[in-house]
Amino acid sequence: MNDTVVTYRRDGNVGVITTNNPPVNALGHAVRAGIMAALDEALSDNDAKAIVVACDGRTFHAGADISEFGKPPQPPFLGEVINRLENCTKPVVAALHGTALGGGLEIALGCHYRVANAGAQVGLPEVSLGIIPGAGGTQRLPRLIGVAAALDVIIGGKRLKAAAAHELGVIDAVVEDPVTDGAIAFAANLIAAAQGPRPIGAQSVDGSDSDIEEARTRYARRYRGYNAPFRAIDAVEASLTTPLAEGLVLERKLFEACNATIEARALQYAFFAERQAAKIKDLPKETPPRAVAQTAVIGGGTMGRGIAMVFADAGLPVTLLEISAEARDATLTAIAKSYDGMVSRGRLTRDVANDRLSRITGATDYVDLTAADLIVEAVFEEIDVKKEVIARLDAVVASDALIATNTSYLDVNALAAASAHPQRVLGMHFFSPANVMKLLEVVRADATSDTALATVMPLAKRLGKIPVVSGVCHGFIGNRMLQVYQREANRLLQEGATITQIDKAIFDFGLPMGPFAVRDLAGIDVGWRMRKAFGIGRAQDARYSAVPDLLCERDQFGQKTGVGFYIYEGGRKSIGENPLVAELAPAEAKELGIARREIDDTEIVERCIFAMINEGANLLDEGIAQRPSDIDIVWLNGYGFPAYRGGPMFYADTVRIEKLVSRLKDLKKEYGPEWSPAPLLARLHKDSKPLTSLNR
Ligand code: 3H9
């Protein structure tokens, strides 16, 4: 097998080692063993005076094989392969294209010279997988480019494009395609100039303790709750004072300790979960997508504007329909202002911003949408308004054009029925701000065609989104779970906890904000209007908390009105709790006959998070979510669930289903049937299986 994964050939007096391990030339066991065998050949080939290490296919090695990390390691280890490359007596040149990441870059750093084509990128993304570079990256990169720049790559996750990598000295030359030929020519020049091996390990390190301390401070907030980034800083610190061989031993130790953490399991799980989410179980693989060349958005509110920018950013022309010329112009002005902001913050060049803006055309007449292949409606969250929009679209667009609704709660089946071609209707639930948030819930109505799904899932990736398919229910996957999470937060407030305590307990668990702070940010009125529209209140839930509604009745909507659960000064900065909340909550408890008491943080976290997990299990049983990992991807990318906990369903397994079910039963005794363990959890408990065993 090694023979076919890694091959050796000679081109003139250059030996060429080539890996071909699709899709990304991951450095699994066969590749490592193959490179070792090919090196034997290259070193014993007397006619080979230099060696090139290259890959076929779309990329140079994109890293170690992540799927091997949970299994017992099999020699040769990557570090051994790399040490052998570095110690080669013949000069070794790496030929980089695509994404030379993690172990891929480490291989290149073991080589004596590196060339890349213009499109290549290099990086060390290990901390995003809960580990540190484990094959020399923390020791060789600082030696090559200095500690400060290495920390940007290793901890900051900075990917360097070929030109930047060249400027920093990571690569020696940018060459024409095909890159392997460029590397062979580079090697031939080395031979001609009698240039020998040039191991990085022999170089000294440019940096100081203050670089290390600065990084510890700089990344403390970004990586709150994480382990790996700080162990990576420890490893880089060692490069300052220890010889390479010692540094490598320490790095390996830290790598192994990191790889044994829940954080590593969680982040590696999330890596594969994200890719799995793009796959729809019962969608025939060969279903051809519909071409999407022209898009349209209806409604220029916050969501509509953001969605139009998503299309424009991805290179798709988009027509934005508004109700009047004034509204259209105001929308286009607001979009131009958003791009201006990005330019002034240095996030885009003026040319790129202008290019994107030029793809957005305003319109006020449905006939201007005739050519659209995909139309996303983002009008007012009112079913009759949306039905009318869909019917009007039906009259002008091609009968197979796709119509997506950006609704957060409405019944997508009912909306699809407003079209004469319900198979073309689906939900595309973007999260706010649409041009920033990665998550896209793709809502599959009963009649939605395979073609519609086969079009939108890959399109989402092109748009830079992470798509997760959801069935139709109130709130789909994310917001349905959010509702029970908020329900529990409200109840804890009724029962005696303060909003500050609840928010802090959830923040300490790892979410970026607690449930009350989030609602103040998004606007408490959003949920209030939705509940009014759906008639949600005490009729369905005897312990329904009216506190948020009572605030809204006083026009206290959160940050935008300067007061919500908290009071704000100068817009976003909270200066303390709104005293009204501390009056309303006990009054409500009294009215409902609830005895107030001291509540500890463990109970707060358990009730908020376990309620959400139980609802997630119901979503699986109802077939709304395809697999537990899809739910995790929704919560990691749409709601800031701490990635080092893997998402609510992965987290449930770390708590253990047995403990979860037992706690749910206790809560049921105390609070009622809404705490009944989901039938799926009860079954898993009976069979002693984790939730993640259902991922496929
Ligand atoms: C590391 O190197 C540790 C070392 O320091 C030392 C250890 C001792 N392994 O993303 P895509 C699969 S840690 C296994 O859709 P794209 C992926 O699951 C590693 N499988 O393509 C998918 O499978 P499927 C450091 C991998 O073009 C298929 O390949 N490296 C790996 O959008 C296509 O992937 C990284 O963290 C892997 N390393 O993006 C890089 N990578 O088709 C991780 C991919 O069955 N990879 N697969 O769903 C990436 O960031 C992207 O895959 C990449 C391509 C940018 C390369």
Side-chain angles (χ1 to χ4, degrees):
M1 180 181 173
N2 291 350
D3 293 347
T4 55
V5 178
V6 183
T7 52
Y8 175 74
R9 70 182 164 93
R10 194 154 40 68
D11 187 308
N13 52 0
V14 178
V16 183
I17 296 173
T18 308
T19 300
N20 184 7
N21 183 33
V24 297
N25 286 311
L27 288 151
H29 175 256
V31 176
R32 300 193 303 270
I35 295 177
M36 283 299 218
L39 268 175
D40 286 342
E41 276 190 74
L43 289 170
S44 59
D45 180 351
N46 290 332
D47 293 327
K49 306 295 182 204
I51 302 167
V52 162
V53 175
C55 288
D56 278 344
R58 67 195 221 213
T59 180
F60 191 74
H61 307 286
D65 185 336
I66 301 167
S67 65
E68 285 184 354
F69 284 166
K71 303 173 190 156
Q74 277 208 54
F77 303 127
L78 188 57
E80 291 166 18
V81 177
I82 293 171
N83 287 343
R84 184 139 185 248
L85 284 166
E86 186 167 61
N87 294 329
C88 270
T89 46
K90 302 178 184 185
V92 187
V93 181
L96 311 182
H97 74 292
T99 42
L101 301 176
L105 177 56
E106 289 175 303
I107 285 257
L109 295 173
C111 298
H112 305 130
Y113 302 88
R114 287 154 293 282
V115 303
N117 69 2
Q121 294 185 30
V122 302
L124 291 170
E126 281 85 346
V127 299
S128 69
L129 296 166
I131 51 176
I132 69 167
T138 65
Q139 305 304 302
R140 291 193 178 93
L141 194 61
R143 282 177 164 79
L144 188 62
I145 61 173
V147 168
L151 286 167
D152 282 347
V153 174
I154 298 169
I155 323 296
K158 190 172 175 183
R159 267 202 211 175
L160 302 170
K161 293 185 177 147
H166 187 213
E167 204 168 309
L168 263 179
V170 179
I171 57 172
D172 299 287
V174 179
V175 298
E176 295 288 311
D177 277 320
V179 69
T180 308
D181 290 355
I184 292 169
F186 188 93
N189 286 339
L190 290 175
I191 298 164
Q195 299 259 21
R198 191 191 54 172
I200 292 176
Q203 296 181 24
S204 60
V205 183
D206 180 12
S208 67
D209 290 343
S210 65
D211 294 324
I212 300 292
E213 282 321 310
E214 202 258 323
R216 287 200 173 106
T217 313
R218 175 141 62 102
Y219 292 111
R221 213 174 118 174
R222 168 160 160 195
Y223 291 117
R224 181 175 66 92
Y226 287 81
N227 169 58
F230 303 100
R231 301 296 74 76
I233 297 177
D234 296 346
V236 173
E237 184 176 28
S239 76
L240 277 169
T241 49
T242 44
L244 181 77
E246 264 176 57
L248 290 178
V249 171
L250 177 84
E251 180 196 71
R252 183 74 204 172
K253 250 196 194 153
L254 289 169
F255 169 86
E256 276 166 11
C258 286
N259 198 36
T261 58
I262 288 179
E263 171 183 323
R265 294 277 73 75
L267 292 169
Q268 291 163 26
Y269 159 86
F271 174 84
F272 290 112
E274 183 181 318
R275 282 144 186 90
Q276 189 72 354
K279 295 166 191 159
I280 301 180
K281 282 183 184 176
D282 59 347
L283 183 71
K285 258 197 166 143
E286 60 282 2
T287 311
R290 187 199 190 284
V292 174
Q294 179 70 45
T295 64
V297 174
I298 303 187
T302 312
M303 285 314 284
R305 292 200 298 261
I307 297 166
M309 290 168 78
V310 169
F311 287 133
D313 292 354
L316 283 161
V318 52
T319 307
L320 204 156
L321 186 86
E322 253 298 353
I323 201 146
S324 65
E326 295 76 49
R328 175 200 62 197
D329 294 346
T331 297
L332 293 179
T333 305
I335 292 176
K337 230 173 122 188
S338 284
Y339 281 124
D340 286 346
M342 291 179 206
V343 173
S344 60
R345 286 194 302 277
R347 288 188 37 213
L348 286 185
T349 63
R350 173 51 62 196
D351 283 354
V352 170
N354 286 347
D355 191 38
R356 292 179 180 186
L357 194 57
S358 73
R359 292 191 199 105
I360 305 177
T361 313
T364 54
D365 193 333
Y366 276 76
V367 279
D368 293 331
L369 310 184
T370 317
D373 302 299
L374 167 69
I375 306 96
V376 182
E377 75 71 20
V379 299
F380 197 60
E381 191 76 351
E382 164 62 57
I383 194 138
D384 291 331
V385 178
K386 286 187 187 280
K387 278 183 176 171
E388 192 193 322
V389 164
I390 291 171
R392 290 184 72 177
L393 278 172
D394 250 19
V396 292
V397 300
S399 62
D400 68 338
L402 303 179
I403 300 178
T405 167
N406 178 51
T407 182
S408 307
Y409 288 99
L410 297 174
D411 179 350
V412 183
N413 284 324
L415 291 173
S419 168
H421 312 280
Q423 67 277 10
R424 62 148 106 199
V425 178
L426 76 170
M428 281 176 85
H429 182 211
F430 289 85
F431 286 68
S432 185
N435 56 327
V436 175
M437 296 292 286
K438 290 267 191 194
L439 179 65
L440 179 71
E441 279 182 323
V442 173
V443 185
R444 177 184 199 174
D446 293 346
T448 303
S449 68
D450 287 353
T451 307
L453 295 169
T455 305
V456 167
M457 296 304 274
L459 177 72
K461 198 171 169 190
R462 182 172 163 201
L463 300 176
K465 300 296 171 201
I466 299 171
V468 177
V469 75
S470 169
V472 176
C473 69
H474 183 79
F476 316 126
I477 295 174
N479 282 343
R480 184 162 140 189
M481 290 168 72
L482 183 72
Q483 272 189 346
V484 294
Y485 165 82
Q486 288 180 344
R487 178 200 75 198
E488 277 318 297
N490 291 347
R491 286 182 177 181
L492 288 156
L493 176 64
Q494 272 176 350
E495 290 168 35
T498 65
I499 54 171
T500 307
Q501 187 198 359
I502 297 166
D503 278 351
K504 179 161 184 324
I506 294 297
F507 177 82
D508 289 345
F509 176 77
L511 276 96
M513 291 168 105
F516 295 102
V518 164
R519 275 183 282 176
D520 268 3
L521 176 69
I524 316 176
D525 54 317
V526 178
W528 176 51
R529 288 182 219 286
M530 182 277 290
R531 288 189 296 275
K532 279 206 293 193
F534 284 87
I536 296 172
R538 225 161 254 165
Q540 298 85 23
D541 175 4
R543 286 173 54 229
Y544 173 84
S545 172
V547 172
D549 302 346
L550 294 171
L551 294 177
C552 288
E553 281 166 18
R554 291 166 172 79
D555 290 337
Q556 298 184 354
F557 295 157
Q559 290 188 11
K560 61 186 167 190
T561 55
V563 53
F565 292 106
Y566 297 92
I567 296 182
Y568 297 87
E569 204 175 51
R572 301 188 57 175
K573 193 166 164 14
S574 150
I575 54 164
E577 292 191 9
N578 176 357
L580 184 61
V581 175
E583 274 175 41
L584 293 174
E588 180 167 77
K590 199 166 165 203
E591 183 192 333
L592 296 174
I594 294 166
R596 286 174 54 92
R597 62 191 165 90
E598 290 252 320
I599 296 176
D600 66 23
D601 291 356
T602 308
E603 178 175 345
I604 292 172
V605 170
E606 280 188 354
R607 281 179 50 188
C608 291
I609 306 294
F610 288 5
M612 189 204 289
I613 294 169
N614 205 32
E615 196 64 11
N618 284 326
L619 287 169
L620 289 165
D621 253 345
E622 291 166 27
I624 300 291
Q626 293 191 97
R627 44 179 94 85
S629 60
D630 282 12
I631 296 177
D632 288 331
I633 291 303
V634 166
W635 272 81
L636 293 178
N637 296 289
Y639 300 84
F641 198 91
Y644 59 83
R645 296 194 193 275
M649 309 318 264
F650 182 92
Y651 174 69
D653 282 354
T654 64
V655 170
R656 286 186 304 109
I657 301 298
E658 185 190 1
K659 177 178 165 195
L660 178 70
V661 169
S662 138
R663 187 76 179 101
L664 291 172
K665 284 180 180 163
D666 289 345
L667 288 163
K668 180 182 174 190
K669 265 189 228 141
E670 209 159 329
Y671 297 107
E674 67 267 34
W675 282 102
S676 294
L680 175 70
L681 291 180
R683 288 200 303 277
L684 288 169
H685 179 217
K686 190 169 141 277
D687 299 343
S688 303
K689 282 191 175 152
L691 262 164
T692 47
S693 67
L694 304 173
N695 284 330
R696 53 184 63 91

